[in-house]
């Protein structure tokens, strides 16, 4: 007997035909004694439709004082899909029951539309499982201390599935998605990318942080916290996908690195001609921190050692660019910078792998691969288990492929 | 200061434009100190759309083991409209908050899709009103002892509005609808029907029971139980409508009867040629009761006194006809009836008024009006405050008009 949490995203339940197919698939795989919890998102574009309705009331439905009502509105999306999926199981003769986020005791803070999970008391889930029911749970949502519905923000359904698996002490959490696992690079860019059998939480987190879209970092953190194996697999096939876990169980570590990640949603800001005095970096980056803008790569370079003039260059998420520019322009005036340059045509390519710890040659091989492809590196940054290079966005595909070839060709 | 519960039906909130109009209208009428609770139904045909979705899973979504999931599905309809209406108030600068049936402590039994209210603990409503919020509540729904959503069945939004008004000790419950009050007869049938200023719970209940569609009997019962005045008024005008209350406060009782009600959704069943022995009526009607079929008018007539042969004729709701026919056919065989006849082309016309108690001439005037219009009466039945006649459906309009003329012409 195994207790398994399975999560299906919105595209897997976009129509009633697909919902029936999901139910059928789960029943085909289910062993008689298995206890199954299914976490689902809202059907296809139903969330967009709900947002459109809200825009009929106000063109800016995400204003701060609307957010509680947006959550009241948006949580209906999953409530529809759980009801229909539970009906689909019953149609096939399988007892099933749907439960909302609030009903599974998914307690969140009160930050509407971007809630965080504070804890789960899934008593009701255990009760229904013990009655032989498949329990269908609304992902992406919980309730705060007032009992008000709260949505979890981006990637929230994965996060709730993994957190619920943790709270239930499940044997595994399966994330069904439109890709069939975690690859050594994005298979849309690298033709011969390899599907990994396993990857550690630590490396997966770094991959996700560096742009690998398959899992949101928060859900991987949650898996690590509860030590729940996360099985990333395809909605469309029955193949085994990739299991994210604490450590490797099979011999799958022939390669020095685990994968090549990339991120195009970055922008570069350069504050030029600043006097190189103590506190300049602090002035710039504390202003950005106050505006809730994360700074990623940072380079400070001396331009003129005699005049003690320096340039401060850093990257941020592309979506924060407009806000960051405002903040930086203000600060630049205060610190007498000569100018502020912004560049959007940049991308970040990274290699990830715990194996590179104590293997200094690996970074050099990455730079060599880029050099051979005639790609100029703008900024380099490193962490314990990754090396990242900022390059021109137009050269990204070539960069990812040449680095992947360097490490993964037989 | 007044605490007023206002209920708007699905057609009043069918689009976001209409939702904005409802919010504006309420704010225009609101006095600064008024505490306002608004109960709303699901938007226009959103309930039908949800049922269509369920039919995508199973063509018969109302099978018994689906009903809990149907409630999970259907309760999202009101959740959408309350979120949008609360946003609309906020758009106009009015603090507002939406609450589901579960959140206002609307406790029901567990009879899914046809729930009954067991009690209301509206603590949260009081708290939010005291903060100066307009509270927007999902009608038609509550939660059972498990916390599962339950819908109230036909007319449920009116019932929840009136029950909530009772639990809150509100000053009045306003029911906004597409007619502007309660009329002495259906104004679509009788051109010079009169709008009543007031009507008692007792008479309104009888009118509703006898087919007047403006209010469901259960919501009137609820108003009577809590002694909450129910103000039936138009969504489209600001005019005062009809107030349903315990007793008359204005001189509006010039007429011997309160109104003429009619009901076309009836069917007649005749069990012919039954031996007139004790227990025959009991056999037939207990079989129908077991099948949950209400019998309305009953006539037993002796056809042949020598052979001691009788006919048993009765009426039921048209929607129960198929089921009733099955039951009666089975019983008819058992009691050796010569045949069972069914007639759907019938209608019931009734007069209602507490004033007819102790005025024996009133029934005779009704029969006279029908006779003058050359309308044959098939069955007559009476209650303390009403007289009903079964006639041919094709003569209904004429019957209602001639009775109305008899009692309401100046």
């Amino acid at each position: 007997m195994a207790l398994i949490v399975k999560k299906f995203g919105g595209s897997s339940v976009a129509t009633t035909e697909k919902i029936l197919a999901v139910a059928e698939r789960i029943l085909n795989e289910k062993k008689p004694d298995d206890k199954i919890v299914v976490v689902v998102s809202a059907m296809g574009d139903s969330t967009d439709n709900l947002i459109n309705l809200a825009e009929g009331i106000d063109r800016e439905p995400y204003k701060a004082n609307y957010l509680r009502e947006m959550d009241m509105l948006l949580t209906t999306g999953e409530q529809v899909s759980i009801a229909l999926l539970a009906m689909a199981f019953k149609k096939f003769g399988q007892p099933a029951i749907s439960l909302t986020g609030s009903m599974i005791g998914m307690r969140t803070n009160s930050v509407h539309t971007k809630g965080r999970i504070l804890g789960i008391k899934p008593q009701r889930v255990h009760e229904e499982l013990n009655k032989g029911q498949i329990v269908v749970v609304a992902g992406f949502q919980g309730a705060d201390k007032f009992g008000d519905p709260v949505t979890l923000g981006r990637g929230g359904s994965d996060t709730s599935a993994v957190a619920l698996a943790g709270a239930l002490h499940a044997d595994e959490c399966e994330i069904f998605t439109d890709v069939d696992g975690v690859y050594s690079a994005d298979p849309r860019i690298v033709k011969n990318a390899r599907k990994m059998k396993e990857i550690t939480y630590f490396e997966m987190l770094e991959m996700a942080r560096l742009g690998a879209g398959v899992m949101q970092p928060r859900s991987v953190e949650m898996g690590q916290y509860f030590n729940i194996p996360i099985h990333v697999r395809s909605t469309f096939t029955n193949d085994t996908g990739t299991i994210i876990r604490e450590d490797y169980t099979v011999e799958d570590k022939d390669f020095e690195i685990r994968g090549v990640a990339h991120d195009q949603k970055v922008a570069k800001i350069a504050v030029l001609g600043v006097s190189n005095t103590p506190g300049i970096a602090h002035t710039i980056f504390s202003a950005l921190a106050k505006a809730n803008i994360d700074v990623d790569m940072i380079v400070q370079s001396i331009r003129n050692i005699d005049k003690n003039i320096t340039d401060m260059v850093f990257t941020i998420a592309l979506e924060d660019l407009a806000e960051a520019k405002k903040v930086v322009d203000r600060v630049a005036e205060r610190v007498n910078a000569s100018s502020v340059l912004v560049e959007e045509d940049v991308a970040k390519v990274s290699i990830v792998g715990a194996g590179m710890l104590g293997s200094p040659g690996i970074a050099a091989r990455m730079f060599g691969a880029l050099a051979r492809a005639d790609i100029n590196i703008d900024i380099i940054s490193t962490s314990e288990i990754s090396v990242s290079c900022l390059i021109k966005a137009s050269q990204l595909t070539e960069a990812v492929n040449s680095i992947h070839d360097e490490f993964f060709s037989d």
Side-chain angles (χ1 to χ4, degrees), chain A residues 10 13-15 42-58 61-62 70 73-78 80:
Chain A
V13 292
T15 63
M43 291 173 77
D45 25 71
S46 68
T47 301
D48 290 338
N49 295 339
L50 291 169
I51 294 171
N52 284 345
L53 272 180
E55 286 170 346
I57 300 295
D58 193 316
Y62 279 98
M70 284 303 285
L73 181 70
L74 295 175
T75 47
T76 63
E78 295 87 40
V80 168

Side-chain angles (χ1 to χ4, degrees), chain A residues 30-194:
Chain A
K30 180 181 180 299
K31 301 194 187 83
D33 284 344
D34 280 349
K35 291 182 171 180
I36 306 287
V37 176
V38 189
V39 176
V40 280
S41 308
M43 291 173 77
D45 25 71
S46 68
T47 301
D48 290 338
N49 295 339
L50 291 169
I51 294 171
N52 284 345
L53 272 180
E55 286 170 346
I57 300 295
D58 193 316
R59 282 186 196 175
E60 291 177 53
Y62 279 98
K63 279 182 199 150
N65 75 328
Y66 289 147
L67 297 181
R68 180 196 178 275
E69 300 308 329
M70 284 303 285
D71 275 353
M72 180 65 85
L73 181 70
L74 295 175
T75 47
T76 63
E78 295 87 40
Q79 199 173 324
V80 168
S81 50
I82 58 173
L84 295 174
L85 182 54
M87 286 179 74
F89 280 121
K90 289 177 175 213
K91 185 182 183 173
F92 296 129
Q94 165 65 49
I97 187 166
S98 66
L99 299 174
T100 63
S102 156
M103 291 161 84
I104 63 161
M106 175 78 71
R107 183 63 187 285
T108 66
N109 63 11
S110 296
V111 183
H112 285 288
T113 73
K114 287 181 180 171
R116 289 194 79 112
I117 299 169
L118 299 180
I120 310 179
K121 291 186 178 158
Q123 192 48 40
R124 179 85 188 264
V125 180
H126 283 300
E127 285 168 18
E128 302 297 347
L129 287 172
N130 290 338
K131 289 182 204 160
Q133 310 247 35
I134 285 187
V135 179
V136 184
V137 171
F140 191 65
Q141 59 173 246
D144 67 7
K145 62 183 171 187
F146 307 108
D148 290 357
V150 175
T151 62
L152 299 178
R154 215 158 64 136
S157 288
D158 287 358
T159 310
S160 28
V162 178
L164 179 57
L168 291 169
H169 306 289
D171 296 287
E172 189 171 86
C173 180
E174 295 180 348
I175 305 286
F176 291 84
T177 172
D178 50 2
V179 296
D180 63 350
V182 180
Y183 277 74
S184 56
D186 186 336
R188 288 168 299 188
I189 289 191
V190 177
K191 290 263 157 62
N192 56 345
R194 291 157 186 263

Side-chain angles (χ1 to χ4, degrees), chain A residues 121-334:
Chain A
K121 291 186 178 158
Q123 192 48 40
R124 179 85 188 264
V125 180
H126 283 300
E127 285 168 18
E128 302 297 347
L129 287 172
N130 290 338
K131 289 182 204 160
Q133 310 247 35
I134 285 187
V135 179
V136 184
V137 171
F140 191 65
Q141 59 173 246
D144 67 7
K145 62 183 171 187
F146 307 108
D148 290 357
V150 175
T151 62
L152 299 178
R154 215 158 64 136
S157 288
D158 287 358
T159 310
S160 28
V162 178
L164 179 57
L168 291 169
H169 306 289
D171 296 287
E172 189 171 86
C173 180
E174 295 180 348
I175 305 286
F176 291 84
T177 172
D178 50 2
V179 296
D180 63 350
V182 180
Y183 277 74
S184 56
D186 186 336
R188 288 168 299 188
I189 289 191
V190 177
K191 290 263 157 62
N192 56 345
R194 291 157 186 263
K195 192 172 83 177
M196 298 177 229
K197 288 201 181 75
E198 297 180 314
I199 183 171
T200 63
Y201 299 120
F202 197 33
E203 289 167 319
M204 187 68 231
L205 258 180
E206 192 73 358
M207 290 281 282
R209 194 180 69 79
L210 294 171
V214 60
M215 290 288 290
Q216 285 288 316
R218 272 168 68 182
S219 54
V220 182
E221 278 171 10
M222 204 60 91
Q224 185 168 33
Y225 178 77
F226 286 113
N227 197 14
I228 291 287
I230 302 172
H231 184 174
V232 179
R233 53 190 300 207
S234 167
T235 311
F236 314 112
T237 73
N238 292 320
D239 299 345
T240 303
T242 301
I243 297 179
I244 310 170
R245 56 171 20 127
E246 188 57 36
D247 214 340
Y248 295 97
T249 60
V250 293
E251 271 322 305
D252 192 26
K253 29 183 170 176
D254 305 346
F255 303 101
E256 291 97 336
I257 68 168
R258 296 304 303 166
V260 183
H262 69 272
D263 189 354
Q264 275 195 278
K265 293 177 179 162
V266 293
K268 186 176 93 170
I269 297 186
V271 186
L272 302 179
V274 191
S275 138
N276 188 20
T277 50
I280 286 291
H282 177 257
T283 306
I284 295 173
F285 296 121
S286 63
L288 287 163
K290 248 186 220 162
N292 251 323
I293 295 164
D294 272 333
V295 171
D296 183 17
M297 309 169 107
I298 302 175
V299 180
Q300 182 175 357
S301 58
I302 304 298
R303 197 205 300 174
N304 185 326
I305 200 157
D306 292 331
K307 292 184 179 160
N308 206 16
I309 294 285
T310 183
D311 299 335
M312 195 73 80
V313 182
F314 56 90
T315 66
I316 54 167
L318 189 57
E319 62 178 5
D320 292 333
L321 182 58
E323 181 66 19
K325 181 71 164 61
K326 276 189 226 162
V327 173
V328 172
D329 279 344
R330 270 200 306 274
V331 177
E333 213 181 298
R334 224 163 63 222

